[in-house]
Amino acid sequence: MSGPVILAIDQGTTNTKALLVAADGSVVISRSRSMQVTYPQPGWAEQSASDIWEAVAALIAELVVAAPDAQIAALAISNQRETVVLWEADTGRPVAPAVIWQCARSAERCADLRAAGLEDAIIARSGLGIDPLFPAAKIGWLLDTIPGARDRANAGEIKCGTIDSWLLWNLTGGKVHATDHSNASRTQLFNLHTLDWDAELARIFDVPLAILPRIAPSDGGFGTVAPGLTALPAGTPVQVLLGDSHAALFAHGIHAPGRVKATIGTGSSLMAATAGRVRSSHGLSSTIAWSRTGTGAQHAIEGNISVSGHAAAFATALLGLADEQALTDLAASVESSEDVVFVPALAGLGAPHWQTGARGTISGMTLATRPAHVARATLEAIALQIGDVLDAIAADLGIDLPELSIDGGAARNALLAQLLADLTGRTIVRPEIAEASALGVARMAADALGLADSGTMAAADRFEPKLAEDAREAIRGNWRESIADAVMRANRAPPG
């Protein structure tokens, strides 16, 4: 192995990956570990923050052992977003499990804020509507629920951050408490105009600003690795921090309006770059894609789907299948779902519907329905949710979007990619490398260090629509009816 490489960490919800990426963007070697998510009660979702850090440290060690001669120029991190950790400032120990982005434990706080008429003010500042997805209400909930946490936070004894900040704190031995603009913009405590923490948002959500990390450009450098904490040499720079969906956008080379990418993982994120802030009227979020030293912030518009690839995992277990490939094979054994519709609102509905209280449904079944029809309806549901968000992006931007670039673990599924083309009526472009988030941060780091141009991922496959328009509209019509029913149920007043 010759030449410097970037060690890229992609810390996801269900998997953590580590890759050595050469300056030309090629992957030299990669390793991964599965991550456990626990659901202590309905609507709650959490992970062990210590397990997240230990998985990252272990993967770094595996890469160093596998490639002992590698010249690791820097570390770059992409991370699951909206997941929040509180930890002790002196010991670095978490004071509670990491509350992940899927968790709805702050739903009551969010409902109270909405009832108080604060949503418009929050959107005006943060670009994000009120929803338990975002960390601000979760942080307030944690501070009020963990005994003594709020007093300790006010006394400077507790730190808070998203997963990038948590990993950075551990990598630097507690010397650096920082985040980047992309992750900060997802907290609902960040002002899209000032590009800094917002005192009014902090007041609304009852979060002391002192516990939050400093904000820096995504490629600006975040300190160096401390001695003895990982297998990396002390002094190795942590060059890039970037939210995973943002990193994927960078990897696709989408820097201007006109193109959209979908990262299809546990959930899905559709994101498009914009020339400035776009205020959505179709249920989407305004966000910061990334910021770069000397060039400032890149704005974007985004739609988040709470349960996407996770729907396939859920259906696989529900049908008693061995794995998700078996689900795909079963789905491929029938020509259609025969009007069976699965709405995977297993953690509520995200964009563009935003119904926290929605629950999953399977409808349209008859005595002729077989497991294969449910399997196909599951893959169709992933595609149909993405289609709803894609239509919302096109409406907000006022432009035609003939193509959709995809990445993420579920993007490897060729049947899903074809269903996406058929049910959206658009060309689906799939790169050869699915790990776009890791590749995005690696390329940004290489570019920042002057090792290579950031480049883009080459398209490996193109999927064209094959379904007749009347058949597509029939499926989408059934989907719209099922979504409307799920929303109605979510909004139904409790009895009595």
Side-chain angles (χ1 to χ4, degrees), residues 260-317:
V260 180
K261 69 87 200 174
T263 299
I264 315 172
T266 304
S268 283
S269 161
L270 279 78
M271 189 180 287
T274 57
R277 178 181 176 178
V278 171
R279 292 175 181 261
S280 175
S281 56
H282 296 85
L284 304 177
S285 301
S286 304
T287 195
I288 300 297
W290 55 74
S291 57
R292 306 205 62 187
T293 304
T295 61
Q298 171 67 60
H299 286 260
I301 193 167
E302 180 179 16
N304 299 98
I305 299 167
S306 301
V307 175
S308 195
H310 201 171
F314 176 86
T316 297

Side-chain angles (χ1 to χ4, degrees), residues 180 210 254 298 376 492:
D180 88 299
I254 300 176
Q298 171 67 60
R376 192 173 186 93
R492 183 178 296 161

Side-chain angles (χ1 to χ4, degrees), residues 265-402:
T266 304
S268 283
S269 161
L270 279 78
M271 189 180 287
T274 57
R277 178 181 176 178
V278 171
R279 292 175 181 261
S280 175
S281 56
H282 296 85
L284 304 177
S285 301
S286 304
T287 195
I288 300 297
W290 55 74
S291 57
R292 306 205 62 187
T293 304
T295 61
Q298 171 67 60
H299 286 260
I301 193 167
E302 180 179 16
N304 299 98
I305 299 167
S306 301
V307 175
S308 195
H310 201 171
F314 176 86
T316 297
L318 193 68
L319 295 173
L321 302 174
D323 52 33
E324 290 179 39
Q325 183 58 52
L327 181 82
T328 298
D329 293 342
L330 189 61
S333 71
V334 291
E335 292 296 322
S336 78
S337 61
E338 296 292 347
D339 294 330
V340 174
V341 180
F342 175 27
V343 176
L346 307 172
L349 285 171
H353 311 290
W354 296 114
Q355 291 289 331
T356 303
R359 295 294 179 261
T361 62
I362 300 177
S363 60
M365 292 189 291
T366 70
L367 290 174
T369 299
R370 296 293 179 263
H373 299 121
V374 176
R376 192 173 186 93
T378 300
L379 297 186
E380 288 180 349
I382 298 171
L384 288 162
Q385 288 188 109
I386 290 171
D388 285 350
V389 176
L390 189 56
D391 288 347
I393 292 175
D396 269 335
L397 298 183
I399 59 176
D400 186 30
L401 297 170

